Amino acid sequence: MAALYTPTILDHCANPRNFGTLDPYSVSHEDENSLCGDRIRVDLRISGDAIDAIRFSGTGCAISIAASSILSEIVDGRHLSDIATLTADDLLAELGITLTSSRLACALLGLNVIHAAIASHSRHLVTVA
Amino acid sequence: MTATVPTTTLDAVALRSQFLILSQTHNGFPITYLDSAASSQKPQAVIDAIRDYYERDNANVHRGVYSLSERATDAFEHARASVARFLGVADSSQIIFTRNTSESINIVAQSWGRSFLRPGDIIVTTVMEHHSNIVPWQIVARETGARLEYIGVTDNGYLKLDDLDRHLASGRVRLVACCHVSNMTGTINPIDQIIARAHDAGALALVDGAQAAPHFPVDLTTLDPDFYALSGHKMCAPMGIGVLYGRRELLESMPPFLTGGSMIRQVGLHESTWAPLPDKFEAGTPDVAGAIGLGAACDYLQQIGLDAIHAHEAALTTYAWQQLSSMPNLTTYGPPPVDRGGVIAFNLAGIHPHDVGSILDQDAVCVRAGHHCTQPLHARFGISASTRASFYLYNTEEDVDRLIRAIRTTLRVFGKAV
């Protein structure tokens, strides 16, 4: 069996944590891997300078969904400044798998979306009541 | 289901030994290369031809009067003649060497399109096209005020020729651009009918032959398109060499695409005149080694016989199709084997093509996962991506067996019924 598809990855793919949307949300951001069609949206509810709630949605390969699921558990309740310093290497260490260059983008899509969401929040974009 | 492989005249196992790259293993498995639709492997004869050129005959072409340069020029033009013969073209000056199919189509769109398209003119293309036969037309339509219209695709992956007739009836269609074989559904289009209908309505016909010319006999004198494009790297030749065939009067009426060296007759300070065909469309130093590789590939394929290659692929495609289409959690796209080339795109229920491709890779099965440069076609089927297996002369029944086994493994990994 592929070394990529560990029980953890398969579990997070079949039962993604924090999957869904938030209403209301403080900020929402969406992005895709145009090469393969992975598309992840992240909704954040921010209280003070910490994430109060996170949901992610979208479609994509097992790696992108599982990585987003694992990431959502990591960032829930964390300070925005902590999350901003969360690196690709940190996430890959959490995933516990070795990725080829073509699958790295899948794993990092959720992280990129969360970073972009936090960045746009800090630029004071419109909040949805 | 027990599928039967019809016998073919091709000794694929013997041919396979001419492709050194196919003798490698990955994770202890022999490589099962099922991505020739993306790029084909090269036989030793083609590699030797390129090496021999650089070791023995290399010099710039059309330039010098010394013997070495004349040998280079002869080799280059001999390659062009091989390509012309391969395509059933009598006049090799109608064979323009380009970088690939994309560049060939861009040349027609920019050189013919910008000169001859007027506001309100219509270009017709199809929903099943590779992006290379869509985007250049979008650009030139925007530049000239022409309109882009589409031939739709049925649920089974056939072109809706009624759409073509409807567009042609407007009397404004100037060019119909269509693939000979789809790189996703594998559909072999009735290109002779499409060309005839276009001509009857006074329109030109450009055919993307990238997935056709490598796989079955193509005779452009009989087919009579106005333009035909192909890529060398999909037909056992190196990457970086392609062909644009055009009708002589058309090519002569078109302004050059890239300009500069080689394509001129006279250069003054403020005006220049153009060289005759094919040089007018081959600016700068060409990919001589690539052309020689392509010529060698044409000879190689003709020696095996394109009919034999086609029959071999049809047998493998049928064998694969029978098994894939009987699997409960697998959807194939496109027509049955009788109407398709050696390309099968499919999806496993609830499993992303990237995951399929990665798990297949663990067993050294090489397939392509993604949108295959056919986003509109994928959107037509309501999907964003698919997995694609494609066959060529060096594939065997065993390759299909390994593909099916690896697909079953993938289904099991995700807990699906096989």
Side-chain angles (χ1 to χ4, degrees):
Chain A
M1 199 199 77
L4 282 181
Y5 299 92
T6 61
T8 304
I9 295 289
L10 288 173
D11 175 37
H12 277 271
C13 173
N15 310 294
R17 314 327 187 223
N18 298 307
F19 194 81
T21 55
L22 283 175
D23 181 20
Y25 53 73
S26 305
V27 65
S28 177
H29 191 81
E30 188 173 352
D31 202 358
E32 66 171 19
N33 271 337
S34 58
L35 274 176
C36 62
D38 292 342
R39 173 170 276 276
I40 298 288
R41 167 182 157 162
V42 168
D43 296 349
L44 299 175
R45 197 153 55 225
I46 294 168
S47 181
D49 63 350
I51 289 183
D52 190 41
I54 174 172
R55 293 289 181 274
F56 84 94
S57 55
T59 56
C61 64
I63 303 300
S64 69
I65 298 294
S68 298
S69 171
I70 289 167
L71 183 62
S72 76
E73 290 192 312
I74 293 171
V75 305
D76 198 4
R78 294 268 295 266
H79 286 276
L80 299 183
S81 51
D82 286 345
I83 300 165
T85 58
L86 200 59
T87 66
D89 286 340
D90 294 332
L91 177 59
L92 293 174
E94 282 294 329
L95 294 177
I97 52 177
T98 308
L99 288 163
T100 58
S101 50
S102 64
R103 302 306 303 274
L104 261 176
C106 308
L108 299 177
L109 179 58
L111 181 63
N112 293 338
V113 173
I114 286 179
H115 278 162
I118 291 172
S120 78
H121 174 75
S122 71
R123 284 194 302 270
H124 306 293
L125 289 181
V126 175
T127 55
V128 177
Chain B
M1 156 177 189
T2 307
T4 50
V5 187
T7 53
T8 72
T9 59
L10 210 66
D11 186 349
V13 174
L15 284 178
R16 201 185 161 86
S17 66
Q18 297 167 10
F19 296 78
L20 194 62
I21 198 170
L22 295 177
S23 64
Q24 64 185 260
T25 60
H26 174 60
N27 290 345
F29 293 95
I31 192 170
T32 295
Y33 187 76
L34 298 176
D35 198 22
S36 295
S39 200
S40 65
Q41 300 302 342
K42 323 305 172 195
Q44 201 57 45
V46 168
I47 297 171
D48 288 349
I50 296 166
R51 191 201 55 232
D52 289 349
Y53 168 74
Y54 277 124
E55 284 185 353
R56 198 183 57 211
D57 295 332
N58 179 54
N60 211 326
V61 293
H62 303 143
R63 297 284 198 278
V65 294
Y66 53 94
S67 305
L68 182 58
S69 122
E70 291 196 355
R71 277 213 310 279
T73 302
D74 285 347
F76 182 60
E77 294 304 333
H78 178 82
R80 193 191 306 274
S82 289
V83 174
R85 202 163 42 244
F86 183 83
L87 294 172
V89 173
D91 179 0
S92 62
S93 73
Q94 292 172 251
I95 301 294
I96 314 285
F97 283 125
T98 63
R99 208 158 49 111
N100 47 35
T101 305
S102 295
E103 183 171 286
S104 299
I105 297 173
N106 270 273
I107 289 173
V108 178
Q110 287 296 305
S111 170
W112 173 84
R114 286 179 67 170
S115 297
F116 295 104
L117 285 171
R118 298 284 174 267
D121 282 348
I122 296 173
I123 305 157
V124 175
T125 186
T126 90
V127 169
M128 67 164 59
E129 296 308 304
H130 184 283
H131 296 161
S132 64
N133 211 11
I134 292 178
V135 182
W137 304 114
Q138 291 175 347
I139 303 291
V140 79
R142 200 168 302 139
E143 288 172 341
T144 60
R147 200 166 82 238
L148 191 54
E149 297 282 359
Y150 282 85
I151 301 170
V153 171
T154 67
D155 292 344
N156 285 346
Y158 292 96
L159 287 178
K160 294 181 178 176
L161 292 189
D162 286 350
D163 288 345
L164 173 62
D165 292 337
R166 184 165 44 83
H167 295 313
L168 291 175
S170 71
R172 295 304 310 266
V173 176
R174 299 299 310 279
L175 182 139
V176 177
C178 183
C179 59
H180 202 154
V181 175
S182 163
N183 70 309
M184 189 265 189
T185 57
T187 312
I188 300 177
N189 288 318
I191 213 75
D192 49 347
Q193 286 181 49
I194 292 168
I195 292 169
R197 293 186 202 195
H199 287 169
D200 285 345
L204 300 179
L206 176 142
V207 179
D208 169 1
Q211 300 291 343
H215 300 285
F216 52 76
V218 170
D219 185 327
L220 297 186
T221 300
T222 308
L223 208 54
D224 194 31
D226 299 284
F227 301 104
Y228 197 89
L230 63 88
S231 291
H233 73 94
K234 294 193 200 283
M235 51 183 283
C236 294
M239 291 170 169
I241 190 81
V243 170
L244 171 65
Y245 159 85
R247 244 190 329 110
R248 170 163 275 280
E249 321 81 77
L250 268 176
L251 291 175
E252 283 174 344
S253 72
M254 286 156 55
F257 179 52
L258 293 176
T259 55
S262 308
M263 48 69 65
I264 47 85
R265 201 194 299 265
Q266 293 249 315
V267 177
L269 285 179
H270 299 288
E271 269 188 25
S272 299
T273 57
W274 313 132
L277 298 174
D279 296 9
K280 185 172 83 167
F281 289 101
E282 294 183 0
T285 299
D287 181 359
V288 177
I292 282 164
L294 178 55
C298 287
D299 295 341
Y300 175 80
L301 293 173
Q302 281 191 300
Q303 204 172 22
I304 295 168
L306 273 300
D307 283 317
I309 291 172
H310 184 47
H312 175 72
E313 286 174 27
L316 290 179
T317 305
T318 302
Y319 182 53
W321 175 274
Q322 285 169 345
Q323 297 177 79
L324 292 172
S325 58
S326 69
M327 289 166 101
N329 282 302
L330 190 148
T331 304
T332 54
Y333 303 98
V338 66
D339 287 327
R340 69 158 65 214
V343 167
I344 304 181
F346 60 91
N347 268 311
L348 303 189
I351 307 174
H352 195 281
H354 264 200
D355 297 313
V356 177
S358 288
I359 296 176
L360 261 51
D361 176 53
Q362 292 298 307
D363 290 351
V365 176
C366 311
V367 296
R368 183 143 295 250
H371 55 59
H372 318 303
C373 298
T374 56
Q375 286 184 27
L377 184 55
H378 279 76
R380 165 63 180 89
F381 292 130
I383 54 177
S384 60
S386 59
T387 307
R388 182 188 70 187
S390 53
F391 309 108
Y392 206 9
L393 59 116
Y394 38 68
N395 289 119
T396 62
E397 179 187 335
E398 217 166 273
D399 286 333
V400 177
D401 291 338
R402 291 199 189 101
L403 169 70
I404 301 299
R405 260 202 307 275
I407 288 173
R408 292 208 169 99
T409 298
T410 308
L411 288 165
R412 279 190 211 100
V413 165
F414 282 86
K416 309 269 180 187
V418 303

